[in-house]
Amino acid sequence: SLSLFMKMVCAVYVMVSMDVQPGDSIPVHTFQSLASRAIRSADVVPVMGPFSRGFSACLKGTTLASTSAKLSLRAYEDLWMWRVILQLGFVDRSWMVVPIRVPLLLRYLPKEDAVHRMHRQAAQADDVLYVDACTEHGNGMGFLLTDVGWNSFRAPELLQHVGYDGEIADADINLLEFVTAVIALVAVVALRVRQGFGVGDHRHIHIWTDNTSCLSWMTMNRSHHPLHLYLLQVVTFLKVTYNITVTMGHVPGVVNVYADAASRQFLLPNGQGPAIRAEMQKLPRIPWPTGLLSDINRTAMS
């Protein structure tokens, strides 16, 4: 609503100084206002869910007598995401308008467990996407958009990444699966835009992955690692720019046959690679965003 929108603008632009930094002290009542408005806004605009809980987290450990609290790094990032996203809303309000079915789509139905919710979401999706990655074949990656197309590619330069503490860690399978999911999602959105998907339209994309860490990051929309947070920010801006709803589900690896074969460049130990490739080549290859992968590689080491 107009009222809630203006309250959010006031909270993130006026109540908190524009040059605030992590570690600065902020009045408790300001944190309370930020937290309540962000959580309420994100409840009806789910795309901002990942950036709605950092303000309340700053109040953990405070006493009734406390008048101020420290701005955490997470809350600082949340603050700036709200500032940027709300600024986009000044000229294009389409991302703030979602079909009434979307909030219901993301909630659990009575007596529904996580597995049933995943399948319900997939059944209602406009696009169903399968993704997979492996640490072999130059960090192979692959995806299949059901009945539409597929691709198989590599990320050989993505070998290490730097954390907030400056320590360098090796890229593991969890990160590669996450990168694959984001790249495949961007590829599908780009395809639909080329086909005429326009501003103001809404599209629901469901992603199946056999990696539980990737599933968690994409479902909870939160990570304390800078590279993972960058990927989540990419997904958020994608959702906002094109009014996309993304749901996730876990599929056992033995069922994720096509994406698995594509990630392994169809070099399978059971010898079924050529047959699977022949079947998949009945569908066209969907171009994947090479520029995004370059940005990911650069961000990983910055």
Side-chain angles (χ1 to χ4, degrees):
S1 66
L2 173 62
S3 174
L4 184 54
F5 177 79
M6 293 308 299
K7 287 179 180 179
M8 279 302 303
V9 169
C10 178
V12 303
Y13 286 110
V14 181
M15 296 176 68
V16 182
S17 170
M18 289 299 292
D19 58 0
V20 70
Q21 295 295 321
D24 288 355
S25 293
I26 293 179
V28 167
H29 66 81
T30 299
F31 273 126
Q32 292 170 336
S33 295
L34 284 167
S36 62
R37 293 170 183 177
I39 291 172
R40 183 183 173 195
S41 298
D43 196 43
V44 292
V45 186
V47 66
M48 290 306 291
F51 311 101
S52 63
R53 304 283 175 172
F55 306 120
S56 58
C58 291
L59 298 176
K60 291 181 179 178
T62 58
T63 65
L64 292 176
S66 300
T67 58
S68 63
K70 300 288 186 181
L71 181 69
S72 68
L73 182 60
R74 172 184 175 181
Y76 175 77
E77 292 165 342
D78 288 358
L79 176 66
W80 272 103
M81 283 298 293
W82 275 104
R83 285 173 171 173
V84 173
I85 294 300
L86 287 172
Q87 185 174 346
L88 295 178
F90 293 165
V91 293
D92 178 13
R93 295 181 297 277
S94 63
W95 68 269
M96 292 183 284
V97 180
V98 297
I100 193 66
R101 65 183 176 88
V102 171
L104 302 175
L105 176 73
L106 301 177
R107 283 166 171 72
Y108 283 94
L109 299 181
K111 299 182 180 180
E112 184 180 47
D113 59 21
V115 174
H116 285 88
R117 186 180 70 151
M118 293 174 186
H119 285 277
R120 172 172 60 85
Q121 291 171 340
Q124 297 181 34
D126 299 301
D127 289 309
V128 178
L129 180 64
Y130 291 82
V131 300
D132 195 37
C134 68
T135 54
E136 303 169 340
H137 312 292
N139 289 341
M141 303 177 176
F143 65 86
L144 171 68
L145 182 60
T146 304
D147 298 328
V148 177
W150 63 282
N151 211 330
S152 173
F153 49 96
R154 300 180 177 91
E157 297 86 5
L158 188 57
L159 300 176
Q160 296 178 318
H161 53 97
V162 182
Y164 281 127
D165 55 6
E167 296 295 325
I168 296 177
D170 292 334
D172 57 22
I173 185 59
N174 299 325
L175 174 60
L176 297 179
E177 296 268 11
F178 189 17
V179 169
T180 304
V182 174
I183 287 179
L185 175 61
V186 174
V188 171
V189 173
L191 171 68
R192 294 312 188 188
V193 169
R194 289 193 298 272
Q195 293 175 341
F197 177 67
V199 175
D201 295 336
H202 174 268
R203 198 164 192 90
H204 171 202
I205 301 174
H206 186 83
I207 303 176
W208 289 109
T209 176
D210 57 22
N211 183 273
T212 54
S213 294
C214 173
L215 175 68
S216 175
W217 292 322
M218 293 283 283
T219 303
M220 303 302 293
N221 295 298
R222 198 73 224 176
S223 173
H224 295 296
H225 192 283
L227 179 57
H228 298 65
L229 183 58
Y230 165 75
L231 293 170
L232 289 172
Q233 289 170 341
V234 168
V235 173
T236 296
F237 282 118
L238 192 73
K239 292 176 181 177
V240 168
T241 304
Y242 298 104
N243 204 1
I244 299 292
T245 295
V246 178
T247 55
M248 294 288 297
H250 179 266
V251 59
V254 294
V255 178
N256 198 19
V257 176
Y258 297 102
D260 176 76
S263 72
R264 299 178 186 278
Q265 314 303 306
F266 302 97
L267 301 174
L268 305 180
N270 60 11
Q272 295 299 310
I276 295 176
R277 179 165 192 155
E279 184 176 352
M280 292 180 68
Q281 285 185 325
K282 297 176 182 178
L283 298 173
R285 281 204 174 199
I286 299 174
W288 61 280
T290 56
L292 175 58
L293 183 56
S294 298
D295 289 339
I296 292 172
N297 291 332
R298 183 166 55 251
T299 303
M301 298 308 297
S302 66

